[in-house]
Amino acid sequence: DAPGGRVVTVTVVIPHYDDPRLEQALASVAAQTRPPDEIIVVDDGSPSPPTNRPGMRVLQTPAHRSGPAVGRNLGVAAAATEAVAFLDADDLFLPDKLKRQLGAMEVAGAAWSYTDCYYLGSRGRFRRPNSWFHGWPGHLPSGRACHAAHIAGHNFITMSSVVVRREVAPWFNPALPVSEDWDAFVRLAEAHDGVAVNEPLHLYRLNPAGGRHYQNLARYVEVNLAILRGAYGR
């Protein structure tokens, strides 16, 4: 497993394509009680891409609409810090997120951590957090129990909840049409123990149009079963 101990520096990696909510995401990072050392926004060919500003670098994907997996991989590779935190451009960090996660990783000697979250829909924030909808209200699994839950078929780690030591950050497979985040986190939890911070520390914005996952449910199930078969095979 990766060495534990204190994480001193952290980069927030944000893949982005033409999303007007990016400024809200950046404002939530700026409001952190433990600010990041750097923000990397990886733009995927937006008509009006963001530009560099103090504390923030903007990178470009090699091709227009390469996808968020490519953006995350580029951001991790470019980070010069000990850890990376992921944030989607439409999600929001709550103020104590980085402080609480980095502290939990230090105490547990963990290579990575994730948190509970609230869903944010068109009518506002849901009253119950993500853990409640997965049947573990307030008690997301840590360590080997996290890997066991993945093997059982649970997809419960939200992208914007994860902080990971850069040296063990997972590779996101751009060939997958869906669930590239779940695939990455299944492999991460298989190789390295993580710690759950059992409080909602970010807001996960629901897509009112349904998102890619449900436009072809059969394809979604097929990809997820392939991820599970790979995990069982390993």
Side-chain angles (χ1 to χ4, degrees):
D1 210 335
R6 186 173 179 224
V7 173
V8 177
T9 55
V10 61
T11 297
V12 176
V13 172
I14 307 175
H16 169 259
Y17 176 75
D18 197 29
D19 196 323
R21 297 164 295 191
L22 174 64
E23 289 302 323
Q24 296 176 38
L26 292 172
S28 76
V29 176
Q32 290 297 291
T33 55
R34 193 289 189 196
D37 299 274
E38 181 181 39
I39 302 168
I40 296 177
V41 175
V42 186
D43 187 73
D44 202 9
S46 298
S48 298
T51 57
N52 292 338
R53 64 184 74 172
M56 184 180 96
R57 281 191 289 158
V58 179
L59 307 179
Q60 293 291 332
T61 57
H64 177 71
R65 300 308 302 270
S66 297
V70 171
R72 294 182 191 116
N73 291 337
L74 286 173
V76 170
T81 53
E82 293 172 281
V84 292
F86 296 105
L87 175 61
D88 284 347
D90 58 341
D91 290 344
L92 301 168
F93 282 173
L94 295 179
D96 282 338
K97 183 178 187 295
L98 293 180
K99 178 181 177 181
R100 293 281 292 112
Q101 282 189 266
L102 294 175
M105 289 169 66
E106 180 178 354
V107 170
W112 63 283
S113 69
Y114 73 108
T115 80
D116 212 340
C117 72
Y118 286 116
Y119 297 132
L120 185 62
S122 58
R123 298 182 181 180
R125 194 181 83 176
F126 283 38
R127 288 183 298 170
R128 294 189 173 104
N130 179 48
S131 59
W132 189 92
F133 291 99
H134 287 280
W136 306 309
H139 297 284
L140 291 165
S142 293
R144 302 317 297 165
C146 184
H147 175 54
H150 279 150
I151 291 295
H154 295 285
N155 184 353
F156 54 94
I157 299 177
T158 50
M159 187 70 241
S160 297
S161 74
V162 173
V163 176
V164 60
R165 286 186 174 273
R166 188 172 60 86
E167 65 196 273
V168 302
W171 176 75
F172 295 89
N173 186 352
L176 292 178
V178 292
S179 299
E180 73 283 348
D181 54 346
W182 190 42
D183 171 65
F185 298 148
V186 166
R187 288 183 279 105
L188 178 62
E190 178 182 310
H192 304 284
D193 285 349
V195 59
V197 179
N198 281 305
E199 56 185 287
L201 291 175
H202 83 92
L203 301 181
Y204 174 89
R205 201 183 301 268
L206 298 174
N207 184 346
R212 291 184 304 158
H213 288 2
Y214 304 106
Q215 291 174 13
N216 187 338
L217 185 59
R219 180 61 172 151
Y220 178 60
V221 171
E222 179 186 350
V223 171
N224 285 357
L225 286 174
I227 292 169
L228 282 175
R229 290 189 191 103
Y232 274 102
R234 291 189 299 272

